[in-house]
Amino acid sequence: MIFSHAGIRIDWRGSSCPERAIHVEIAEGSPALERPGALAYALPYQGTRIVVFLDRLRNIAAPSTVPSLLGHVIAHEVTHLLQGVVRHSCSGVMKAAWNADDYRQMRWGVPLSFTKEDLLLIQLGMQAKPFLTSTD
Ligand SMILES: [Zn+2]
């Protein structure tokens, strides 16, 4: 839903995910010293893998908010990979750290949005990584 506002369709594949697609790993019991404070990470300069620390999401959000927060965290990290750069915006999905208003919006089921710069960088990044737009 977050990406549909950006005109992007996500094709979830499960275990049959192609090798060069974006792989999302949901981790539990993340070590405190591994990327302290981060809810997830992606390495846009090295590959197409995302790791989400689900236990940390559960620690900061009410159970009813976790699914929406998880969607936003995955969208944020996927966007880093699509853009191919580590950068953040002043508002929306690509904010470096969401505040109470952002979490409230998620809790209400209203997706955070992308800025114009986010959308432009997604387009440019996808042109540079055509394998991410493959449908096979
Ligand atoms: Zn980020």
Side-chain angles (χ1 to χ4, degrees):
M1 184 166 167
I2 296 170
F3 280 109
S4 65
H5 290 275
I8 295 171
R9 184 177 61 84
I10 302 292
D11 185 11
W12 295 97
R13 293 292 182 96
S15 61
S16 64
C17 191
E19 183 71 24
R20 297 185 71 194
I22 294 173
H23 292 248
V24 179
E25 177 183 335
I26 306 294
E28 293 270 14
S30 56
L33 294 179
E34 184 177 351
R35 301 173 187 271
L39 299 177
Y41 69 91
L43 302 172
Y45 304 121
Q46 297 177 14
T48 55
R49 180 171 163 255
I50 293 168
V51 177
V52 178
F53 300 123
L54 185 59
D55 54 321
R56 296 182 188 178
L57 273 62
R58 288 185 174 133
N59 285 341
I60 66 164
S64 62
T65 307
V66 169
S68 178
L69 177 58
L70 177 61
H72 281 83
V73 167
I74 292 174
H76 180 102
E77 300 303 333
V78 166
T79 301
H80 277 313
L81 293 179
L82 294 177
Q83 293 179 339
V85 294
V86 177
R87 65 164 285 280
H88 292 100
S89 295
C90 294
S91 63
V93 176
M94 292 313 294
K95 213 168 167 181
W98 295 312
N99 63 23
D101 288 338
D102 298 321
Y103 287 114
R104 191 173 305 114
Q105 186 173 332
M106 291 179 205
R107 195 164 50 249
W108 290 342
V110 180
L112 300 179
S113 58
F114 290 105
T115 65
K116 289 179 182 175
E117 292 78 16
D118 294 332
L119 295 173
L120 178 60
L121 287 169
I122 289 171
Q123 288 176 347
L124 293 172
M126 290 178 72
Q127 288 170 8
K129 295 181 178 179
F131 60 91
L132 291 177
T133 61
S134 172
T135 57
D136 60 10

